[in-house]
Amino acid sequence: VTGTARDWAGHGTHVASTAAGAAVGKASYYDLATGTARGGSEFARIAVYKACNDRLRCKGSHMLSAFDDAIGDGVHVISVSSAPDEVPSRSPYFLRDPVAIGAFHAVERGITVVAGAGNTGPDPASVFNDAPWIITVGASTIDRVFRADVVLGGGGGVVKVKKLISLQFSSKKQRTSNKIPLFSKQTGLVNCSDCQQDSLKREKTEGKIVICEVKGKDPTINLLTQANEVQGKGGLGMILVDDVTRRVAEYSGDFPVTVVSSREAVKLKSYLNITVDPLATILPTVTVGNYRPAPQVSYFSTRGPSVNLPNIIKPDVIAPGVSILAAWIGDDSESTPKGRKPPSFNIISGTSVSCPHVAGAVAAIKNAQPSFSPFAIKSAIMTTAFVTNNVGSLITTDAGEEATPYDLGAGELNPTGSLNPGLVYEATTTDHLLFLCYYGYDTATVRLISRVARSLNFSCPLDSSPDLVSHLNYPSMAVRLAPNQTRTIGRVLTNVASDGKWSYTATVRFGGGSTEGLRSDVAVKVSPERLCFTNKGERHLFNVTFMSTGSVDVDRVVFGWITWTNPRFKVRSPFVILGSTA
């Protein structure tokens, strides 16, 4: 119902139940992804604020009103599964972004704000919700996928689909028969543009399975549009060959659809070339567990660097956001196959889905560590994040390339480890007021944004400059470095473990696996290399010096990790070195 706060689309129900909720056994989407479903924080209570609708979308004034209501109600964490339609231009960015403004008001009152990074990846500089006081979350895959193999007729064998991208529920006839003819234009594979609306001829497709191929990323291409075109022209199924968009699971009802890679399609091509009367059956979707490698950064998850904040690494972390099962509205006919009851659970993907995973972890941290500020909570989540997958290698993108901090931030959410991080990078509201000054706002504007600035009669330093953003006590580091330049930035770590002697040693690793703080073009040195803590709450400063040897390219980006370790804790921070001409 669009005129009330009741969820009419399902999205709000899905993300809310992902953030919090008691365990529900035997949950599934029509027997897919069967298991026990529970929220990220099982015993937290949820307050839902409707800020978006189908007519006005997510209007800025409605977003700010929702923030104000949540702040007034005394919530501990705000989860924002929305983003603007376009990446805002730099100036005056924070004055026009309702999520950034609302989040600032919340954070300065001790409320942690988590927001999705956006779904317009994998292009660089596409990240949304990138204010440093927000925990910005990208999306990763999980070790559960779906598949629907293709059985070829006449002894042609089976095309084993490694990773399916559609949710389809084939009829009994299609489950048991391999007498459905294959069709492809000119006895080869067709470009997927030929499978869009009004592109196929009924006399060629009726009663057949149609093979299509994606050869380029096109935002107008939609699996459901293609499937509807094939089905509308009498087709009995669609096999889509797609190496480009690496789609996520989409619902196709009782119409058989499967998505194969070009490597998996080799057998299809060979079969088509040697068979006079090619026949095939698309088997129903099944669930496959223990998929490797996982996690991977999903193709749609937005990437850094931030257009507005090159001296802050965004996103901050990634979390499960592909093919996630969670609660759904009970009257959604669009997600219901013919002859079945509407689902109580559904499977969807997006950074909207990864965001509440982190929000649930925040609630759990707040319960375990009630004295933690929003900045300490962010640090706990970032510095304990995983950077390796379930085969022991560094996390990759879904294209198989090693993921950088611009892809995954500090890494994959570690909900257990973040409950007791050992050390945190603490910050205050005043630190973020200084950030606004460094960003370019004057004292009057900063006081307009923040009530704390007004109460403290805060004034911006005279030497404010964008490069000083790198000095914010953030759990990641980004600096610009010109040829033959040396820059040193400081960080402060606070002991949040128990009283007693805790000694940490620093190591530096560049992307690619090196554990040395030296390359042919840059060097990174941590001083001191050892920190010792005795009391809980004790703080120590360390400096990181970034040095170029004269060969740093202005367009070059160097990634790496600084890790503080002892036998009990591992506190990891990513860094980025940006080339500069100045």
Side-chain angles (χ1 to χ4, degrees):
V1 181
T2 59
T4 73
R6 187 175 296 278
D7 181 14
W8 57 271
H11 182 274
T13 300
H14 196 282
V15 298
S17 66
T18 301
V24 178
K26 298 181 180 179
S28 74
Y29 180 60
Y30 301 113
D31 297 325
L32 291 176
T34 301
T36 298
R38 60 170 56 86
S41 181
E42 191 170 350
F43 302 106
R45 288 174 289 182
I46 300 174
V48 178
Y49 304 86
K50 185 171 184 178
C52 306
N53 61 48
D54 60 338
R55 184 171 61 88
L56 298 174
R57 297 178 63 83
C58 302
K59 192 174 181 180
S61 59
H62 294 176
M63 296 291 289
L64 284 173
S65 178
F67 270 105
D68 286 344
D69 288 344
I71 293 168
D73 290 342
V75 303
H76 295 102
V77 55
I78 297 176
S79 183
V80 185
S81 288
S82 67
D85 293 332
E86 298 179 359
V87 178
S89 58
R90 187 180 189 280
S91 181
Y93 170 46
F94 292 116
L95 294 181
R96 295 191 293 108
D97 183 350
V99 174
I101 295 171
F104 194 101
H105 294 167
V107 170
E108 68 178 351
R109 289 167 172 82
I111 302 168
T112 304
V113 178
V114 186
N119 302 327
T120 56
D123 295 334
S126 55
V127 64
F128 294 105
N129 294 326
D130 55 357
W133 47 85
I134 294 173
I135 302 178
T136 309
V137 187
S140 61
T141 64
I142 59 177
D143 64 353
R144 181 190 66 216
V145 298
F146 307 103
R147 62 183 289 174
D149 293 340
V150 180
V151 179
L152 302 176
V158 178
V159 177
K160 290 284 188 180
V161 178
K162 185 178 180 182
K163 187 177 180 183
L164 172 69
I165 318 293
S166 77
L167 304 175
Q168 50 92 2
F169 306 90
S170 304
S171 68
K172 183 177 180 181
K173 177 182 177 181
Q174 290 157 341
R175 287 199 299 269
T176 58
S177 171
N178 65 348
K179 300 300 184 182
I180 303 173
L182 284 168
F183 166 76
S184 64
K185 285 190 175 181
Q186 299 174 350
T187 67
L189 300 173
V190 298
N191 187 286
C192 78
S193 61
D194 291 337
C195 295
Q196 293 191 65
Q197 189 172 1
D198 298 327
S199 64
L200 298 175
K201 302 295 184 182
R202 175 175 289 273
E203 58 268 23
K204 291 187 176 182
T205 62
E206 190 165 20
K208 297 180 176 67
I209 292 175
V210 180
I211 303 173
C212 309
E213 186 173 18
V214 175
K215 292 185 177 179
K217 184 181 178 183
D218 183 344
T220 65
I221 294 174
N222 183 294
L223 182 144
L224 296 182
T225 300
Q226 296 164 310
N228 289 337
E229 170 66 9
V230 174
Q231 188 175 23
K233 297 299 171 58
L236 297 182
M238 180 178 75
I239 300 172
L240 185 65
V241 182
D242 184 3
D243 285 332
V244 180
T245 63
R246 295 179 175 84
R247 301 166 188 263
V248 297
E250 295 182 75
Y251 172 76
S252 63
D254 58 358
F255 186 65
V257 174
T258 193
V259 183
V260 303
S261 68
S262 58
R263 180 177 297 181
E264 293 160 343
V266 169
K267 191 171 185 177
L268 272 175
K269 293 181 179 181
S270 175
Y271 176 72
L272 284 167
N273 289 334
I274 64 175
T275 307
V276 176
D277 187 19
L279 303 173
T281 296
I282 300 174
L283 298 181
T285 304
V286 296
T287 306
V288 178
N290 198 30
Y291 182 81
R292 296 169 182 267
Q296 292 181 307
V297 182
S298 75
Y299 85 92
F300 62 79
S301 185
T302 53
R303 309 300 211 266
S306 166
V307 172
N308 309 287
L309 305 172
N311 289 349
I312 295 285
I313 298 175
K314 289 288 183 170
D316 293 308
V317 291
I318 56 173
V322 175
S323 299
I324 303 301
L325 180 82
W328 200 249
I329 54 176
D331 58 353
D332 180 16
S333 60
E334 292 184 1
S335 299
T336 307
K338 292 179 181 179
R340 307 207 187 194
K341 294 181 180 179
S344 298
F345 292 83
N346 203 353
I347 296 169
I348 65 174
S349 303
T351 58
S352 285
V353 178
S354 58
C355 170
H357 279 86
V358 175
V362 170
I365 295 169
K366 191 68 177 176
N367 183 60
Q369 306 280 3
S371 64
F372 273 22
S373 71
F375 313 110
I377 290 173
K378 172 188 280 191
S379 176
I381 287 173
M382 291 178 64
T383 60
T384 61
F386 296 115
V387 295
T388 54
N389 55 28
N390 58 2
V391 296
S393 302
L394 294 175
I395 293 174
T396 62
T397 67
D398 76 325
E401 301 170 348
E402 182 182 321
T404 74
Y406 283 160
D407 302 316
L408 50 61
E412 171 84 3
L413 172 68
N414 178 357
T416 302
S418 60
L419 296 175
N420 188 13
L423 301 173
V424 296
Y425 293 88
E426 183 62 274
T428 66
T429 299
T430 301
D431 292 324
H432 286 82
L433 297 179
L434 290 170
F435 159 79
L436 291 172
C437 299
Y438 302 155
Y439 183 75
Y441 293 130
D442 58 22
T443 296
T445 304
V446 173
R447 290 181 182 178
L448 179 66
I449 293 173
S450 170
R451 68 182 182 91
V452 172
R454 295 190 295 273
S455 65
L456 296 177
N457 201 26
F458 174 86
S459 295
C460 287
L462 295 178
D463 62 346
S464 297
S465 75
D467 278 346
L468 292 176
V469 171
S470 298
H471 293 268
L472 184 68
N473 200 41
Y474 209 78
S476 59
M477 307 171 196
V479 297
R480 289 196 177 277
L481 203 61
N484 297 307
Q485 183 183 23
T486 297
R487 287 196 61 192
T488 298
I489 62 174
R491 289 290 189 270
V492 176
L493 281 168
T494 301
N495 178 35
V496 293
S498 58
D499 290 343
K501 187 174 182 180
W502 298 99
S503 178
Y504 292 82
T505 301
T507 58
V508 176
R509 179 183 68 80
F510 287 103
S514 172
T515 57
E516 300 178 358
L518 179 65
R519 291 170 37 134
S520 61
D521 51 352
V522 294
V524 178
K525 180 177 176 58
V526 178
S527 179
E529 295 180 347
R530 186 180 181 192
L531 296 177
C532 294
F533 299 85
T534 302
N535 301 313
K536 187 174 184 178
E538 185 177 347
R539 300 184 177 191
H540 284 302
L541 167 71
F542 69 94
N543 292 315
V544 182
T545 301
F546 299 89
M547 298 163 281
S548 74
T549 62
S551 58
V552 176
D553 191 319
V554 65
D555 296 322
R556 184 84 175 273
V557 180
V558 176
F559 302 101
W561 305 85
I562 295 173
T563 307
W564 292 94
T565 56
N566 65 22
R568 173 66 178 84
F569 298 106
K570 182 178 290 186
V571 181
R572 184 185 295 108
S573 299
F575 67 79
V576 171
I577 303 172
L578 305 166
S580 175
T581 56

